[in-house]
Amino acid sequence: MNREITDINQRLSKNAIFVLEKRYLKKNEDGDLVETPAGLFRRVADAAAASDALYDMGADIEATAERFYELMASLDFLPNSPTLMNAGTEIGQLSACFVLPVEDDVTSIFTAVRSTALIHQSGGGTGFSFSRLRPEGDVVKSTGGIASGPVSFMRVFDTATDVIKQGGRRRGANMGILRVDHPDILRFIHSKEVEGVLSNFNVSVGITKAFMSAVAEGAEYPLVNPRTGQVVGSLWARAVFDEMAEMAWRNGEPGIIFLDHINADNPTPHLGRIDSTNPCGEQPLLCYESCNLGSVNLSHMIADEGTIDWDKLEQTVKVAVHFMDNVITINRFPLPEIEEATVKTRKIGLGVMGFADMLIQLGIAYDSPATEQIAAKVMEAINYWSKEASCDLAQSRGVFPAFDGSVYAQGCYRKPPDISYDGVKALRGTPAFDWDALIHRMRTKGLRNATTTTIAPTGSISIIAGVSSGIEPLFALAYVRGHVLDEDELVVVNPLFERVARERGFYSPELMQVIAQRGSCQGLAQVPADVQRVFATAHDIFPERHVHIQGAFQTCGVDNATSKTINFRNSAAIEEVRDAYLLAYELGCKGITVYRDGSRRVQVLTRGVRKPAEWAGTEEAKEEVAVRRPRPRPRPEITHGITERVALGCNRRLYITVNEDEEGMCEVFLSVGRSGGCIASHSEALGRLISLALRSFIPPEEVIDELRGIRCPSSAWRNGETILSCADAIGQVIGRYIEANGGHIPKEIALKRHMSLAPECPECGGLLEWVEGCTVCRFCGFSQCS
């Protein structure tokens, strides 16, 4: 192995190498790897650098390729996944984000379905506004029939996505948006109420200022038929707003898109209004536009003295803009309409990852006031320098073709608000940004790219870089990861936390195990208070602080929009979600996505792994062990008990019979509705083993302790409690039977219902996180945006 490969492999974590090998590195026809991580970065750098020759015959292509290579190989910056996967390959499609038009006729609808399939096949995600479609029950003049409405046509797109894997390596993802004044808005709000429906869609309601005014006034607002433009009814705005909040509280959707906020920053209003975004909502686009995204690794932008390294950040931003503009030039677009619209505006979206890691290195808590100031100044700097770099490119390559008529040509680009940063050590040495001079330069000299900044999800590329996702806080400080070949468990600890724990002298394997069970270090006496504050995780932070951070990034430096999940604890009230919506609107956010822990069957890891029963060492437990018999007692002729039906996440019903005799609980019978073969035999075997344990005087509480918390990929929700698997359901039923008959379940066993809510990753068995609108596995890179 040469020195170059060795150096890169030393920078990459084991997880990063695994993800690269599984999803990014080139393979031959037999599936064997034919590329190294170093080779990937070389391939992408060479492909991107080659386009310089189109603008300057004397360009030093090799020098440019080396700069691009160092940019990526250092992990200071990474482009979006399609660029890493496809640059320099036969596919050559390098964009992540697309928006397609859906007009009110069958031809347009199915043209969009075809275009969607082509985009997903090449690695992109698609967004649609279905607001132009006539409502359900409306007349279809050409046939004399009745329209089925937007939601029914969304199912067509969803089905098409099911059968297309993005580039063979990424799942298809869509965004569906409907204006709040569409007559079918209530059907849309409830379109994903049954989990599993429209599983390839994120859905968001397009909110207008007029609607928000009606909410504030407690007034009705009109519903407009898009076919005729006529008002066909009205709804109470607060009731609809509350309906959205309640549905989001129940399962995280719909999200909200503030259409007027988006269009206030539309750089090319002469080309039309923006009415849709990409799947995660961070990239508003005109119809047929695409956008190339990339992210600066903020954890690498720290100077030795504990301040931000502004010089390195400036250099990184400017090389990244050069790289991303070149990507547009070499891109192979899936449709000619997309190429035309994209080249007309040449939008790029430079964002960040590793923000939480940056704060930790600076010793700043995520939810402190200083964090908003850092977010604002860092993003303002990235926005400013990216505009300078785009101006430089415009002078040597020409402005984006739709420049005339843009906000830049009119000199009305909105500069960021002034943010004070007095007293924040990390911001010492912050350069001055002369926005008036830059706006004048953009108006007179032009700009190469209509937008330059976006905060995108960084699920996979942040794993490659080994940093926190986007602008999210840490999700958990430690995980327990099961070994594949044996039953041992490995505690995986956040490297920054482990380093601090060792330096401060409170590290121990036992403490790391406890933190892995909890997911957080809050409230642990062994962890110093200042460390607890700096290492607060997503669910330790109040939702309004999440919204404030999103607002700081958005209003101070993001042309497009900001991907951010506003996390709520499971106990949060619907009113708290409603308040977050109002705060996001007030702060100028362009959209908001919320997620209440435990509200979905396909659930993120919150905290916790299986705990041993604490009573095992008590005198009572010793007595129970002493009276156990070496063989089970015979089954009596007559037993009595109950049968309970439980709906499982795999769309089956499990019938659980719990019986007892004079000596106590003695057997459990299981029957899975509509099953046969392995399912029936496994359920019978599980029931026999549980019955054997009960007749052998194993305390039912121990049986419950073993069963509760076992997960399968498809969980369910029943009466406020998650059913993680058949085994978990059996444990719950036995527990209810004991309590119904006057018994008591030890607290530590009962609490297991709040733990282990995450299913394993369907590809590697790791635990899933919910970040930036997507479920992401930090171990193998699997992601699903829905």
Side-chain angles (χ1 to χ4, degrees):
M1 182 178 292
N2 63 38
R3 177 63 182 272
E4 180 179 85
I5 295 175
T6 301
D7 288 346
I8 290 179
N9 285 352
Q10 288 177 347
R11 296 183 194 130
L12 297 169
S13 68
K14 291 181 180 179
N15 277 356
I17 294 173
F18 178 82
V19 170
L20 286 168
E21 291 178 348
K22 185 174 180 64
R23 303 181 184 278
Y24 291 86
L25 302 184
K26 291 173 64 176
K27 299 178 177 69
N28 61 22
E29 294 180 354
D30 296 325
D32 300 322
L33 289 173
V34 294
E35 188 174 55
T36 64
L40 178 149
F41 294 134
R42 281 290 175 197
R43 165 172 56 80
V44 176
D46 291 345
S51 65
D52 275 10
L54 298 175
Y55 307 108
D56 180 4
M57 294 298 294
D60 189 341
I61 303 299
E62 290 187 5
T64 300
E66 189 62 30
R67 282 196 296 273
F68 290 169
Y69 173 81
E70 287 298 328
L71 185 70
M72 294 180 287
S74 64
L75 305 178
D76 289 343
F77 162 88
L78 288 175
N80 53 216
S81 289
T83 299
L84 290 175
M85 291 175 176
N86 299 334
T89 72
E90 293 182 359
I91 297 175
Q93 197 293 100
L94 312 180
S95 300
C97 308
F98 299 81
V99 163
L100 296 173
V102 182
E103 303 295 339
D104 190 33
D105 65 78
V106 171
T107 299
S108 172
I109 291 169
F110 283 91
T111 297
V113 171
R114 174 184 177 274
S115 300
T116 299
L118 293 174
I119 291 170
H120 288 178
Q121 192 175 41
S122 65
T126 45
F128 317 88
S129 172
F130 293 97
S131 301
R132 297 182 182 88
L133 300 188
R134 67 193 70 188
E136 182 180 352
D138 197 29
V139 65
V140 180
K141 289 185 178 180
S142 61
T143 64
I146 299 298
S148 57
V151 173
S152 65
F153 279 111
M154 289 172 64
R155 297 191 186 105
V156 178
F157 288 82
D158 188 64
T159 301
T161 303
D162 260 336
V163 297
I164 300 290
K165 289 185 71 177
Q166 292 179 317
R169 289 179 280 187
R170 305 183 77 205
R171 289 180 58 89
N174 302 300
M175 169 65 85
I177 293 177
L178 196 72
R179 283 178 61 100
V180 72
D181 53 11
H182 192 284
D184 283 359
I185 189 59
L186 292 179
R187 294 184 183 90
F188 182 81
I189 290 171
H190 288 270
S191 62
K192 296 189 68 174
E193 185 170 10
V194 177
E195 205 160 332
V197 175
L198 297 177
S199 60
N200 299 301
F201 266 96
N202 291 333
V203 296
S204 290
V205 176
I207 300 293
T208 63
K209 285 186 177 179
F211 173 79
M212 293 303 294
S213 296
V215 171
E217 296 165 5
E220 290 184 284
Y221 76 101
L223 301 176
V224 180
N225 186 328
R227 179 179 64 84
T228 64
Q230 300 296 312
V231 174
V232 294
S234 64
L235 292 171
W236 290 100
R238 285 184 183 172
V240 174
F241 194 74
D242 290 345
E243 198 86 354
M244 288 185 284
E246 180 176 353
M247 284 307 303
W249 176 87
R250 290 187 182 281
N251 73 353
E253 294 193 79
I256 283 181
I257 299 292
F258 297 115
L259 293 173
D260 291 309
H261 285 179
I262 285 174
N263 280 285
D265 286 341
N266 181 357
T268 55
H270 59 300
L271 297 183
R273 281 182 60 84
I274 296 173
D275 58 11
S276 188
T277 73
N278 71 319
C280 290
E282 81 280 1
Q283 189 59 56
L285 293 168
L286 296 165
C287 288
Y288 284 120
E289 274 190 318
S290 67
C291 189
N292 293 85
L293 308 178
S295 298
V296 174
N297 183 354
L298 292 181
S299 74
H300 285 194
M301 305 297 147
I302 306 295
D304 292 337
E305 59 272 20
T307 59
I308 295 170
D309 190 335
W310 297 106
D311 290 338
K312 183 176 181 180
L313 181 59
E314 178 180 6
Q315 180 184 10
T316 301
V317 166
K318 291 187 172 180
V319 178
V321 169
H322 181 186
F323 174 95
M324 296 169 74
D325 187 69
N326 281 17
V327 166
I328 296 175
T329 301
I330 64 170
N331 204 347
R332 295 179 188 169
F333 297 96
L335 295 168
E337 297 92 337
I338 292 174
E339 180 173 12
E340 179 183 358
T342 301
V343 172
K344 190 178 293 183
T345 57
R346 301 189 70 89
K347 289 180 178 177
I348 60 174
L350 182 61
V352 300
M353 57 184 167
F355 179 62
D357 296 323
M358 166 186 265
L359 294 175
I360 290 168
Q361 292 176 77
L362 295 172
I364 296 173
Y366 189 93
D367 60 351
S368 72
T371 297
E372 286 182 63
Q373 297 170 305
I374 292 172
K377 278 301 172 184
V378 166
M379 205 62 220
E380 180 186 3
I382 292 173
N383 191 27
Y384 187 88
W385 289 322
S386 66
K387 295 293 188 300
E388 281 195 328
S390 190
C391 283
D392 293 341
L393 290 172
Q395 288 186 252
S396 60
R397 301 180 174 187
V399 299
F400 64 88
F403 177 79
D404 291 338
S406 71
V407 296
Y408 307 107
Q410 298 168 22
C412 56
Y413 178 79
R414 292 198 302 172
K415 63 182 180 181
D418 292 330
I419 299 293
S420 171
Y421 54 92
D422 295 339
V424 181
K425 175 187 174 183
L427 292 174
R428 290 177 187 170
T430 302
F433 303 114
D434 190 344
W435 279 101
D436 291 329
L438 181 56
I439 290 171
H440 176 75
R441 183 186 177 198
M442 291 190 292
R443 180 175 64 83
T444 56
K445 301 298 183 181
L447 203 67
R448 180 66 172 170
N449 313 99
T451 65
T452 62
T453 49
T454 302
I455 301 290
T458 60
S460 295
I461 64 171
S462 66
I463 296 173
I464 295 171
V467 297
S468 55
S469 296
I471 61 172
E472 302 285 359
L474 295 181
F475 191 78
L477 298 182
Y479 302 89
V480 174
R481 184 181 185 185
H483 284 210
V484 175
L485 299 179
D486 54 45
E487 296 181 354
D488 292 338
E489 291 180 328
L490 174 67
V491 177
V492 181
V493 183
N494 177 278
L496 292 175
F497 182 74
E498 181 174 350
R499 186 181 71 190
V500 170
R502 291 184 184 278
E503 290 175 350
R504 299 283 292 271
F506 64 85
Y507 178 89
S508 73
E510 294 76 19
L511 177 60
M512 298 305 110
Q513 179 73 39
V514 170
I515 292 172
Q517 292 171 352
R518 295 160 53 99
S520 169
C521 67
Q522 303 304 301
L524 293 176
Q526 305 97 311
V527 181
D530 62 314
V531 176
Q532 291 186 33
R533 181 156 175 75
V534 170
F535 282 93
T537 59
H539 288 96
D540 300 324
I541 297 165
F542 288 112
E544 58 265 28
R545 299 307 305 161
H546 284 275
V547 181
H548 274 282
I549 298 301
Q550 179 177 342
F553 273 100
Q554 180 66 70
T555 58
C556 292
V558 178
D559 291 331
N560 295 304
T562 304
S563 177
K564 174 82 179 73
T565 297
I566 310 304
N567 296 100
F568 289 84
R569 294 172 180 169
N570 183 264
S571 59
I574 297 173
E575 188 67 23
E576 295 178 62
V577 175
R578 190 180 190 278
D579 291 344
Y581 284 171
L582 293 172
L583 181 60
Y585 182 73
E586 176 187 331
L587 294 177
C589 297
K590 294 179 180 177
I592 180 172
T593 299
V594 305
Y595 186 72
R596 183 175 65 89
D597 186 37
S599 62
R600 283 192 178 186
R601 292 186 312 190
V602 179
Q603 152 73 19
V604 303
L605 171 66
T606 53
R607 40 194 102 230
V609 294
R610 183 172 58 83
K611 289 184 179 179
E614 294 175 2
W615 58 267
T618 65
E619 290 302 316
E620 178 185 1
K622 292 176 182 178
E623 291 176 5
E624 289 177 346
V625 171
V627 300
R628 288 178 187 163
R629 301 178 184 177
R631 298 184 63 83
R633 69 183 186 269
R635 184 193 184 278
E637 292 296 324
I638 299 175
T639 62
H640 58 89
I642 57 97
T643 298
E644 184 172 334
R645 186 182 71 178
V646 180
L648 302 174
C650 56
N651 295 320
R652 292 186 173 88
R653 290 182 175 89
L654 177 62
Y655 296 85
I656 305 171
T657 299
V658 180
N659 288 335
E660 63 178 326
D661 60 12
E662 293 180 353
E663 296 191 60
M665 197 179 302
C666 64
E667 64 187 3
V668 171
F669 291 129
L670 306 174
S671 176
V672 182
R674 293 181 297 155
S675 69
C678 287
I679 294 175
S681 61
H682 281 305
S683 61
E684 181 181 353
L686 182 56
R688 287 189 180 191
L689 287 173
I690 294 172
S691 301
L692 180 68
L694 294 172
R695 296 202 312 276
S696 299
F697 295 93
I698 302 294
E701 294 81 3
E702 279 201 40
V703 175
I704 296 171
D705 189 48
E706 293 298 325
L707 296 174
R708 290 302 308 269
I710 293 176
R711 299 176 301 270
C712 73
S714 297
S715 52
W717 189 258
R718 181 194 189 200
N719 298 328
E721 186 161 346
T722 305
I723 300 170
L724 304 174
S725 63
C726 293
D728 188 63
I730 297 165
Q732 292 185 36
V733 170
I734 296 174
R736 284 194 289 271
Y737 183 85
I738 292 173
E739 291 176 338
N741 287 276
H744 172 68
I745 304 298
K747 181 179 178 180
E748 64 273 8
I749 297 177
L751 286 175
K752 291 183 68 174
R753 70 191 64 182
H754 301 299
M755 299 180 181
S756 301
L757 294 179
E760 291 88 350
C761 169
E763 294 197 3
C764 78
L767 293 174
L768 297 176
E769 299 179 8
W770 177 267
V771 288
E772 302 162 320
C774 295
T775 47
V776 177
C777 176
R778 301 293 293 180
F779 297 119
C780 75
F782 168 84
S783 65
Q784 182 176 6
C785 295
S786 178

